[in-house]
Amino acid sequence: TVDFANVKFAHTDIQRIGKKMDDFVKKNYAIKEGVVKAEHPFQNELMQAYKKEVKAFSYGSFNLLLPGSVLLTTGGVKAFSLENISGSYWKGDSSNVMLQRILGHAFKAEQDLKEFLEQLATAQERDHRRIGKELQLFQFDELSPGSPIFLPKGTIIYNELLQLLREQYRKRGYQEVITPQMFNKSLWETSGHWQHYKENMFVLPVDNTEFALKPMNCPSHLLIYNSTSHSYRDLPLRIADFCFLHRNEIRGTLGGMTRVRKMAQDDGHIFVMMEQVEEEMERVLDFIKYVYSETFKLSFSLELSTRPESAMGDKELWDKAESILKKILEKSSIPYKLSIGEGAFYGPKIDIHMKDALGRSHQCATIQLDFQLPKRFNAVYEGSDGKKHPVVMIHRAILGSLERFIAVITEHYAGKFPLWLSPVQVKLITVTDNQIQFAKEVYDKLFAAGIRVELNDKPETLPKKVRDAELERVNFIVTIGEKEVDKKTLAVRSRGGKVQFGVQVDAFVKDLQENIAKRTLDA
């Protein structure tokens, strides 16, 4: 036997481990379910935590504990691949011991493995961390783990998304607010976060007491709601907020912009009467359809998550909330699945899962129906009967975390953003110095029209300039040579490689403006 606790694997050991796995597959050991005595503290901990869910298996001289079922024989693995060896804290907690993790995938057929590896290679090429660095969109620094730094070009994408949302907020009756970054712990005690979420919060000593950076906006929006009295005539009241949030995620779980400590959500809370819930939820779903289906042309499905064990409040209210959400989902005719016990501690939720160009699913948007927080804050309205009634609160985020959404669309588009979202929409290229004056005139006209344009008039070869622009994934490369100067026209090359000669400058500007205004995806 080998004491793996004292073995330090390196990436060079992958081939050796793979050969041993091949040996197990060829010998086709029977995998038997039985009783295995826990041999170390981790197995003991698993058995205590999962009890009947963990089963004992053995094959050859190996014993292991696993949840669920496994193959009947080791020969059932027809193809596998080992990709990496890395460190991992036990249960993802940095206060626990560091373990060694070997990442691999197994399949029933060689073709399945081949397709998987091809998709994996494509995913690595599209990794937002790689593209973000290449296009100078954002960066990361160990001085602030889990907090992306948006560079000027990445900030353009960020702000364009905010503009999209703000246009819709105006049309859909939202009022935007700006709320503080931290609050006294008494707020979080009232909301229940102190009791249910404190381990995920950054707690700070301030004024001889404890404050916390806010992990979410809902309690502060309840403060806004309670700052004035409300009648049934004021509802629905829709509040939107882009303020930064901080969550104390475990260091080992951080990854690029998909798992962060500092983020901003397109957060919104809607205060309604019970009889308005169904209509308002349908309005939120319509908002989601507009953004995902109409604007980005992304398919999505829905997931209804119900009451967790740590739920706050009366079960009757939970049942009522879940019943309303089910009715709305069934009426929407959008495919959805049920996740038992996965709701937030204050209410059930609908999560929106979008599919990217590689067929991967990402959870971004969410809608949550909440009877509990308003009750804890005594948030009420005066009804038509002159009596006070508890208000109902709808939590909703359309893009979700902007950091996560930008990561997802960066990989979805492989950095080739649609025209309206691109940091650089047009790249002007001169053939020689003789065209610089006309190129600057074109630049000024594009810039004045609101087009994001750059001019490359460096003393470099034309092929190099074109290649550099291609690597930057700009939407249009405009080449200006002697003919263009003589005729006062442009040679315009689209990202797809199609070239148009003799393009009038004013016509080019107008076409760009129209595409940007419509937020078309094919430009």
Side-chain angles (χ1 to χ4, degrees):
T1 60
V2 179
D3 182 6
F4 288 105
N6 296 317
V7 175
K8 299 298 181 184
F9 291 113
H11 191 76
T12 52
D13 293 317
I14 284 181
Q15 187 175 6
R16 182 167 59 88
I17 296 168
K19 287 182 178 179
K20 190 65 177 177
M21 289 178 65
D22 270 329
D23 183 54
F24 279 120
V25 170
K26 290 174 182 176
K27 290 182 178 177
N28 197 24
Y29 290 113
I31 300 175
K32 302 174 182 178
E33 184 175 348
V35 178
V36 174
K37 183 180 179 181
E39 297 177 350
H40 55 69
F42 298 138
Q43 288 184 333
N44 270 321
E45 197 170 334
L46 283 175
M47 292 178 75
Q48 290 298 319
Y50 296 98
K51 297 178 181 176
K52 293 182 180 179
E53 295 179 25
V54 173
K55 297 179 181 178
F57 298 94
S58 64
Y59 62 95
S61 60
F62 283 82
N63 299 321
L64 64 158
L65 296 171
L66 292 172
S69 57
V70 297
L71 295 171
L72 296 177
T73 67
T74 57
V77 178
K78 301 301 181 184
F80 67 87
S81 171
L82 300 180
E83 281 94 39
N84 195 20
I85 294 176
S86 62
S88 175
Y89 291 111
W90 173 243
K91 291 188 173 180
D93 187 342
S94 59
S95 64
N96 288 333
V97 66
M98 172 70 80
L99 304 177
Q100 296 178 87
R101 174 174 55 194
I102 301 173
L103 177 65
H105 296 85
F107 296 89
K108 293 182 179 180
E110 285 285 349
Q111 183 60 29
D112 293 338
L113 173 61
K114 181 182 177 182
E115 291 174 1
F116 170 79
L117 292 177
E118 288 174 354
Q119 187 181 53
L120 185 64
T122 303
Q124 289 172 345
E125 289 176 5
R126 290 174 177 249
D127 191 307
H128 70 277
R129 291 163 292 192
R130 174 180 176 177
I131 293 174
K133 185 175 182 180
E134 290 174 354
L135 301 187
Q136 298 179 5
L137 303 178
F138 37 77
Q139 67 185 44
F140 309 91
D141 199 295
E142 282 303 303
L143 292 174
S144 185
S147 302
I149 299 171
F150 280 90
L151 302 174
K153 290 180 179 179
T155 302
I156 288 171
I157 297 172
Y158 190 102
N159 286 333
E160 284 294 334
L161 292 174
L162 293 188
Q163 178 63 23
L164 167 68
L165 292 165
R166 283 178 169 137
E167 287 176 12
Q168 289 301 307
Y169 284 167
R170 181 176 173 82
K171 293 177 182 178
R172 297 172 186 268
Y174 286 84
Q175 301 176 67
E176 188 177 339
V177 299
I178 301 172
T179 48
Q181 288 297 122
M182 65 178 183
F183 287 92
N184 188 291
K185 73 172 184 179
S186 61
L187 176 75
W188 308 114
E189 287 173 335
T190 301
S191 69
H193 288 88
W194 202 256
Q195 299 88 327
H196 294 268
Y197 201 75
K198 183 181 177 183
E199 68 276 9
N200 298 110
M201 298 166 68
F202 288 101
V203 179
L204 308 170
V206 180
D207 298 334
N208 297 317
T209 186
E210 289 180 300
F211 276 61
L213 294 176
K214 64 178 180 182
M216 48 198 69
N217 290 306
C218 30
S220 58
H221 290 184
L222 278 157
L223 290 182
I224 293 173
Y225 180 86
N226 280 346
S227 65
T228 58
S229 59
H230 298 275
S231 112
Y232 69 97
R233 299 179 188 274
D234 302 321
L235 306 178
L237 174 63
R238 306 178 186 95
I239 296 176
D241 198 336
F242 293 115
C243 291
F244 297 129
L245 307 175
H246 290 82
R247 298 177 184 177
N248 192 9
E249 301 285 356
I250 297 168
R251 177 71 177 267
T253 65
L254 301 176
M257 297 207 301
T258 57
R259 192 67 177 263
V260 295
R261 286 176 173 168
K262 174 258 177 185
M263 74 190 83
Q265 290 183 327
D266 59 328
D267 211 355
H269 295 92
I270 308 169
F271 298 91
V272 297
M273 298 181 287
M274 178 61 72
E275 53 266 36
Q276 295 172 319
V277 167
E278 188 171 340
E279 180 182 356
E280 199 61 30
M281 294 288 281
E282 288 173 351
R283 287 176 182 270
V284 176
L285 276 178
D286 180 73
F287 196 170
I288 288 168
K289 288 178 186 177
Y290 172 79
V291 170
Y292 287 87
S293 299
E294 296 180 34
T295 304
F296 288 98
K297 302 295 188 292
L298 294 166
S299 62
F300 65 90
S301 61
L302 306 176
E303 178 183 11
L304 173 58
S305 299
T306 61
R307 184 176 183 270
E309 289 185 9
S310 61
M312 187 170 63
D314 301 329
K315 185 177 181 299
E316 288 183 8
L317 280 176
W318 275 85
D319 292 341
K320 189 172 188 178
E322 289 171 9
S323 176
I324 291 171
L325 294 187
K326 284 180 183 177
K327 181 181 178 182
I328 292 166
L329 288 175
E330 287 165 3
K331 188 177 178 181
S332 74
S333 72
I334 301 173
Y336 80 93
K337 70 175 184 177
L338 195 63
S339 291
I340 305 297
E342 295 298 321
F345 67 83
Y346 48 79
K349 62 178 181 173
I350 298 173
D351 287 329
I352 287 76
H353 297 270
M354 55 158 278
K355 281 197 173 181
D356 67 10
L358 298 182
R360 300 173 301 183
S361 180
H362 305 273
Q363 190 271 308
C364 294
T366 186
I367 316 171
Q368 300 169 5
L369 185 56
D370 185 1
F371 298 118
Q372 308 300 336
L373 278 182
K375 186 176 178 182
R376 292 177 73 93
F377 279 82
N378 192 30
V380 298
Y381 68 92
E382 185 178 297
S384 57
D385 58 1
K387 297 179 181 179
K388 299 292 185 182
H389 300 272
V391 76
V392 179
M393 189 177 185
I394 297 172
H395 308 244
R396 47 104 293 193
I398 307 302
L399 301 182
S401 156
L402 268 79
E403 286 78 4
R404 178 178 173 80
F405 187 81
I406 291 172
V408 170
I409 61 172
T410 298
E411 296 186 3
H412 174 72
Y413 292 121
K416 296 179 180 179
F417 297 101
L419 183 66
W420 68 275
L421 205 53
S422 273
V424 182
Q425 296 164 325
V426 177
K427 190 80 152 185
L428 299 177
I429 294 175
T430 54
V431 177
T432 69
D433 289 351
N434 295 333
Q435 295 89 44
I436 291 177
Q437 182 177 344
F438 178 58
K440 287 183 176 179
E441 291 173 8
V442 175
Y443 175 94
D444 290 342
K445 186 165 283 191
L446 287 166
F447 185 85
I451 309 301
R452 294 189 285 272
V453 57
E454 289 183 353
L455 169 60
N456 184 351
D457 57 1
K458 296 176 183 177
E460 300 172 337
T461 65
L462 182 61
K464 184 181 187 308
K465 290 181 180 181
V466 171
R467 179 59 180 158
D468 287 346
E470 288 176 334
L471 291 174
E472 291 175 34
R473 299 166 171 87
V474 300
N475 299 77
F476 294 99
I477 302 172
V478 176
T479 305
I480 299 175
E482 289 184 15
K483 290 182 180 179
E484 284 70 39
V485 173
D486 291 341
K487 297 180 179 180
K488 302 300 180 184
T489 59
L490 307 172
V492 179
R493 176 178 176 174
S494 67
R495 199 156 50 193
K498 183 180 178 181
V499 181
Q500 283 184 290
F501 296 97
V503 177
Q504 297 293 324
V505 177
D506 289 343
F508 181 53
V509 171
K510 183 181 178 181
D511 187 49
L512 290 174
Q513 289 178 319
E514 289 177 354
N515 278 326
I516 291 168
K518 294 176 183 176
R519 293 192 172 95
T520 54
L521 297 184
D522 56 354

